[in-house]
Amino acid sequence: MHRQTISLVLGSGGARGLAHIGVIERLVASGYEIRSIAGSSMGALIGGIYATGKLDAYAGWVGALERRDVLGLLDLSFGRNGLFKGERIIDTLRTLIGDQDIEDLPIKFTAVATDMESEQEVRLNDGPLFDAIRASIAIPSIFTPHAYRGRQYLDGSLVNPIPISATLDDDTDLTVAVNLSARPDGPIKVDVPRRIADNGHRSEYRQGIAKFVDDLRQRLDRATESTPGMMDVIAKSINIVTNALAQAQIANFTPDIVIEIPRNICTFYEFHRAREMIEIGRRHTDEVLKRFHDG
């Protein structure tokens, strides 16, 4: 029996993007061969790591993260163009995965970013993998823009949150797109972790990061519709842009299979819920593939 080859398009969505891991697991387990990946923001991160062959290692690492570990990955920028530099996250991933050039990967890979000056979509499909990923995840106000090849890059979701168009020339049997901006599925579930206790072993810097993010979290928790907090405004703004663009991309390019992940399953910064997000990705993929095969 012919093993169907696919071009996989992984959309943006912050921590919801961890669902991509479950999607990939189920696609591979169902016999599909992923020949090409295009990703935006968190989709670029997960897709790039899969292309290196190290997704299992990443899944094990991220699945073990608790909130205190996530805080430890944040490095304040102390500047005015983003809260965090993002260097600590990328350095950690380089250590875990190993840096590679995109053109040397066994799977075709494209990361989408936004050129800050021209405001245009840029497809990064050669050069250092983690430079492409860092450019694609430069969420405005959260991470500083990424300087690369003489340009300043912002998050790819600003122009193309689900880059189906980047796969149009692929020689594959099917195009599978994963949309992390699908309609809400019931009331949003927010798993509020306990506050980190100061056990005397954390550095002053890490304690400062924890206090800073806790303060932001409390502002979000106190926010109302009439007085939204800063994090709420950032998240809502990104979602408004992303949702509209994602629906337009799907309508314009009509992939063969669309796996819809509800946009309210978690907030964009809840990376400590990785195992739950991965399971949601598995479940939704199973449901979509069953319908597709039953046809």
Side-chain angles (χ1 to χ4, degrees):
M1 180 178 178
H2 173 62
R3 188 182 187 192
Q4 288 189 301
T5 59
I6 63 174
S7 297
L8 182 60
V9 183
L10 302 177
S12 63
R16 295 194 305 274
L18 294 167
H20 290 319
I21 298 173
V23 172
I24 291 172
E25 287 179 359
R26 285 298 193 256
L27 287 172
V28 173
S30 297
Y32 292 100
E33 179 184 351
I34 300 172
R35 290 268 186 90
S36 168
I37 298 177
S40 184
S41 196
M42 193 62 182
L45 189 151
I46 299 297
I49 291 175
Y50 175 75
T52 69
K54 301 289 185 65
L55 188 61
D56 287 345
Y58 174 79
W61 172 77
V62 76
L65 290 180
E66 297 182 357
R67 185 171 174 243
R68 69 181 63 198
D69 302 312
V70 176
L71 293 176
L73 293 170
L74 301 177
D75 44 2
L76 285 172
S77 70
F78 299 103
R80 289 185 286 182
N81 59 354
L83 293 175
F84 306 108
K85 291 182 287 186
E87 294 175 4
R88 186 169 297 170
I89 294 172
I90 294 298
D91 287 345
T92 300
L93 292 177
R94 280 195 176 103
T95 300
L96 179 70
I97 305 300
D99 208 357
Q100 301 183 44
D101 287 336
I102 294 173
E103 56 267 35
D104 295 332
L105 297 174
I107 295 173
K108 178 183 175 184
F109 174 72
T110 302
V112 169
T114 303
D115 186 306
M116 189 171 175
E117 183 175 351
S118 70
E119 303 177 3
Q120 298 297 310
E121 172 184 339
V122 177
R123 297 175 184 174
L124 300 171
N125 50 26
D126 65 356
L129 172 65
F130 283 107
D131 273 306
I133 289 173
R134 176 61 181 85
S136 190
I137 66 170
I139 303 170
S141 299
I142 303 297
F143 291 118
T144 58
H146 184 55
Y148 180 53
R149 294 178 172 174
R151 299 181 181 182
Q152 294 283 333
Y153 289 105
L154 295 172
D155 194 280
S157 67
L158 296 175
V159 289
N160 197 346
I162 183 166
I164 304 166
S165 55
T167 67
L168 293 181
D169 293 333
D170 290 348
D171 183 20
T172 53
D173 298 317
L174 299 170
T175 299
V176 179
V178 186
N179 177 25
L180 300 178
S181 300
R183 290 179 300 173
D185 185 13
I188 187 168
K189 178 183 178 182
V190 179
D191 180 17
V192 181
R194 61 181 176 83
R195 189 181 180 89
I196 299 173
D198 181 6
N199 56 17
H201 297 293
R202 293 184 295 141
S203 68
E204 291 184 6
Y205 177 81
R206 187 165 178 176
Q207 291 178 40
I209 290 285
K211 183 179 185 303
F212 177 79
V213 176
D214 277 341
D215 288 344
L216 290 179
R217 183 68 179 249
Q218 288 171 18
R219 292 180 197 177
L220 178 59
D221 291 341
R222 292 195 302 264
T224 65
E225 290 186 2
S226 59
T227 58
M230 183 179 69
M231 293 291 282
D232 194 33
V233 170
I234 293 172
K236 291 289 186 184
S237 299
I238 293 172
N239 281 337
I240 289 170
V241 173
T242 300
N243 298 346
L245 288 175
Q247 293 304 320
Q249 289 292 314
I250 292 170
N252 288 338
F253 297 107
T254 57
D256 300 287
I257 299 174
V258 180
I259 298 169
E260 302 270 19
I261 306 295
R263 58 180 176 265
N264 67 330
I265 58 173
C266 75
T267 58
F268 73 90
Y269 52 84
E270 291 185 294
F271 286 90
H272 60 281
R273 295 175 60 190
R275 284 175 291 184
E276 181 184 348
M277 296 303 106
I278 294 170
E279 183 56 35
I280 287 173
R282 293 173 183 141
R283 187 183 73 222
H284 281 270
T285 303
D286 287 342
E287 293 171 356
V288 170
L289 291 181
K290 185 178 186 305
R291 291 197 299 268
F292 180 74
H293 294 150
D294 292 346

